[in-house]
Amino acid sequence: MLSGPSGCGKNTVYEALKALDPTVTQTVSATTRAPRTGETDGIDYYFLSEAGFREKIEADAFVEYVRYGENYYGTLKSEVARLLAEQKTVVLIIEVNGARNVKRIYPEATTIFILPPSMEVLRQRLVQRGETTDEETERRIRIAETEMECRDQYDYRVVNDDLDRCVRDVYHIINNA
Ligand code: 5GP
């Protein structure tokens, strides 16, 4: 599992990791948040309405789900089962509460927290992303501060100041797990 505040670069780390090791595969989560520019349903997320998401909760379809900000996010049991059956190195990129819940169910899973070089850099990255409103940026920074407090609950912490080094560190952690 990879966690880290919004803007810490965990998705970039994941993409580079996948280039190093093609068995590395991310589960596609379900969410009620609206797609960002360039995001595709079924690839980045399964974008669901709140009613659609609730139906999946009722059907016990989630390994874990959380309300994060205004939206729901959840890891589907079917995704984890499919990728494990395909012998993939299954990567969940999820927030801290979800990671804690998954660790309870799969204690053998490795948890890695990606840290931004500083909160100032994190703020700049969130502003540059530009797809979110100022209000959303401020809200994500407040969530980020709370998330950073959870870093010691993770098996490993890696600072994303230099992408190549960060990716190499994560690669070694995964391969020694
Ligand atoms: P974003 O809206 O930026 O794509 O994601 C917001 C946060 O939700 C990120 O920290 C992301 O890792 C996390 N997230 C994405 N999918 C899931 C999920 O299935 N479960 C949980 N618990 N968090 C998720």
Side-chain angles (χ1 to χ4, degrees):
M1 278 176 276
L2 285 184
S3 298
S6 194
C8 73
K10 51 195 189 297
N11 293 309
T12 312
V13 170
Y14 168 76
E15 291 302 333
L17 197 62
K18 197 169 167 53
L20 276 184
D21 177 356
T23 72
V24 164
T25 310
Q26 182 185 0
T27 54
V28 179
S29 291
T31 185
T32 57
R33 100 152 152 66
R36 292 194 189 118
T37 315
E39 286 183 332
T40 309
D41 185 48
I43 293 177
D44 298 288
Y45 281 107
Y46 297 107
F47 294 102
L48 301 178
S49 64
E50 200 153 319
F53 199 97
R54 281 183 197 286
E55 266 173 36
K56 295 225 180 275
I57 296 174
E58 294 298 314
D60 198 23
F62 291 113
V63 179
E64 62 78 34
Y65 70 90
V66 292
R67 187 157 180 111
Y68 179 88
E70 299 291 291
N71 294 296
Y72 284 107
Y73 293 83
T75 309
L76 293 159
K77 287 181 180 172
S78 54
E79 280 285 306
V80 177
R82 178 174 64 82
L83 298 180
L84 286 176
E86 290 174 12
Q87 312 267 309
K88 302 289 191 197
T89 303
V90 182
V91 175
L92 270 56
I93 308 179
I94 61 179
E95 56 68 65
V96 295
N97 295 304
R100 200 178 298 129
N101 291 337
V102 174
K103 185 75 171 174
R104 234 177 262 138
I105 304 166
Y106 296 102
E108 70 280 17
T110 304
T111 57
I112 305 173
F113 195 92
I114 308 290
L115 291 148
S118 68
M119 289 309 277
E120 199 36 51
V121 171
L122 189 77
R123 176 182 289 272
Q124 282 165 15
R125 287 183 189 165
L126 284 174
V127 171
Q128 275 160 14
R129 193 183 262 178
E131 289 134 329
T132 50
T133 59
D134 283 356
E135 194 191 330
E136 178 70 15
T137 303
E138 288 309 317
R139 204 159 50 74
R140 282 189 179 235
I141 286 168
R142 281 197 300 279
I143 296 176
E145 284 165 353
T146 319
E147 288 183 317
M148 294 284 275
E149 288 168 13
C150 299
R151 61 187 179 217
D152 291 337
Q153 296 167 20
Y154 282 71
D155 298 327
Y156 300 92
R157 284 152 291 283
V158 183
V159 181
N160 184 17
D161 46 2
D162 176 87
L163 180 65
D164 286 344
R165 192 197 44 76
C166 177
V167 171
R168 266 200 314 275
D169 287 355
V170 173
Y171 177 81
H172 287 302
I173 291 167
I174 290 176
N175 281 286
N176 292 317

